[in-house]
């Protein structure tokens, strides 16, 4: 099946209200253009350099998502154009995003990344760390970032009930933060969870944004 068919069949399985981010990391510009021609506009990359290179090459109405771990010293390369940063895991990084967004005269949308999986190698905050961040004076004074939700990854396993319970944890973290810090804020509405292997479960558990790579573009 073609890239176009894969996108259509995923779209067919999920509600229109769920955003499909096509994860194009390691894939060439031609593959992205196939998806673009099929109407896809949201694309995700996990490396800054690759993202910046593809931004230069490809149509300017693409919305680029940075989904991988982000080092503060690299924010400047994506700040002029990035649409959503999924992987904010600390105040220092958020402060740098705010600074670079200000330089570019923009407000950059961000998600707080949470660690819910069993693997220690995955990045992300726990709930206490997130609340400390949101309560800090530094965060309150940032005018050029906007936190629009949360992101997380389930464990890499075929244990469906473990995956489901990790997605439920993310949903409950979202609900809790919505109530405590974003009650009046309609922009805080995204739960970015679900990849090729688990997006159906993620959507059942309340995902608003799935990040799908290999099911669309083939294995890497
Ligand atoms: C690579 C990646 C994905 C997509 O993974 P697939 O299994 O290919 O769908 C989603 N989210 C993040 C953070 C990734 O790094």
């Amino acid at each position: 099946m073609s890239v176009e068919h894969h996108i259509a069949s995923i779209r067919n399985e999920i509600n229109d209200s769920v955003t499909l981010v096509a994860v194009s990391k390691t894939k060439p510009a031609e593959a992205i253009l196939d998806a673009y021609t099929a109407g896809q506009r949201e694309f995700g990359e996990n490396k800054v350099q690759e993202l910046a290179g593809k931004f230069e090459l490809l149509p300017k109405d693409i919305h680029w998502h940075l989904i991988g771990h982000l080092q503060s010293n690299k924010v400047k390369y994506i700040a002029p154009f990035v649409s959503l940063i999924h992987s904010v895991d600390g105040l220092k990084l958020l402060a740098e995003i705010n600074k670079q967004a200000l330089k570019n005269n923009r407000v950059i949308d961000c998600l707080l990344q949470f660690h819910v999986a069993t693997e220690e190698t995955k990045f992300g905050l726990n709930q206490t760390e997130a609340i400390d961040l949101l309560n800090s004076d530094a965060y309150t004074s940032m005018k050029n970032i906007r936190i629009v939700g949360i992101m997380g990854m389930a464990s890499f396993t075929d244990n469906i009930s473990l995956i489901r319970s990790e997605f439920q944890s993310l949903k409950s973290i979202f609900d809790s933060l919505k109530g405590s810090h974003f009650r009046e804020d309609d922009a805080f509405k995204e739960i970015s969870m679900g990849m090729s292997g688990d997006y159906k479960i993620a959507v059942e558990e309340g995902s608003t944004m799935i990040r799908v790579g290999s099911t669309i573009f083939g294995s890497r």
Side-chain angles (χ1 to χ4, degrees), residues 9-195:
S9 76
I10 295 167
R11 282 255 56 114
N12 219 12
E13 287 170 336
I14 59 174
N15 194 289
D16 280 347
S17 63
V18 176
T19 302
L20 169 60
V21 178
V23 175
S24 49
K25 62 190 186 195
T26 77
K27 299 296 175 183
E30 299 77 63
I32 298 174
L33 276 177
D34 286 344
Y36 180 90
T37 306
Q40 181 67 27
R41 291 295 179 273
E42 312 295 322
F43 290 90
E45 291 283 337
N46 69 337
K47 295 211 168 80
V48 164
Q49 220 170 353
E50 190 173 344
L51 174 54
K54 285 173 174 172
F55 167 75
E56 289 301 324
L57 279 175
L58 287 156
K60 293 298 173 282
D61 61 341
I62 287 177
H63 301 150
W64 290 104
H65 298 241
L66 193 281
I67 61 171
H69 184 62
L70 177 57
Q71 289 173 294
S72 298
N73 61 356
K74 297 198 172 157
V75 173
K76 58 179 176 285
Y77 302 114
I78 58 170
F81 67 87
V82 71
S83 172
L84 179 61
I85 297 175
H86 290 233
S87 44
V88 173
D89 60 359
L91 191 58
K92 179 174 165 261
L93 174 59
L94 199 59
E96 180 63 17
I97 297 168
N98 185 63
K99 179 179 156 190
Q100 297 298 334
L102 176 62
K103 272 192 189 166
N104 287 279
N105 208 5
R106 319 178 51 207
V107 173
I108 296 182
D109 284 349
C110 298
L111 304 176
L112 294 179
Q113 181 173 358
F114 285 86
H115 184 277
V116 292
T118 50
E119 296 102 340
E120 283 305 317
T121 48
K122 285 183 174 145
F123 292 97
L125 300 159
N126 63 39
Q127 216 166 337
T128 314
E129 290 166 337
I131 288 168
D132 286 349
L133 183 158
L134 295 170
N135 287 342
S136 68
D137 292 339
Y139 166 69
T140 318
S141 67
M142 292 175 192
K143 299 287 177 266
N144 292 77
I145 53 97
R146 181 171 75 159
I147 295 178
V148 299
I150 71 167
M151 178 271 222
M153 274 187 267
S155 298
F156 185 68
T157 173
D158 47 22
N159 181 345
I160 305 265
S161 62
L162 178 61
I163 294 172
R164 190 178 293 282
S165 79
E166 290 169 351
F167 287 149
Q168 286 166 348
S169 297
L170 285 168
K171 172 70 162 85
S172 103
I173 291 168
F174 173 86
D175 289 341
S176 161
L177 294 179
K178 181 76 190 168
S180 62
H181 290 79
F182 297 95
R183 193 182 293 276
E184 316 275 284
D185 184 351
D186 292 340
F188 187 85
K189 60 180 169 58
E190 304 294 355
I191 307 175
S192 167
M193 60 184 191
M195 309 174 26

Side-chain angles (χ1 to χ4, degrees), residues 1-11 20 22 30-40 212-219:
M1 272 208 303
S2 64
V3 162
E4 179 180 0
H5 279 93
H6 290 303
I7 289 174
S9 76
I10 295 167
R11 282 255 56 114
L20 169 60
E30 299 77 63
I32 298 174
L33 276 177
D34 286 344
Y36 180 90
T37 306
Q40 181 67 27
V212 180
S214 42
T215 296
I216 295 175
F217 295 110
S219 59

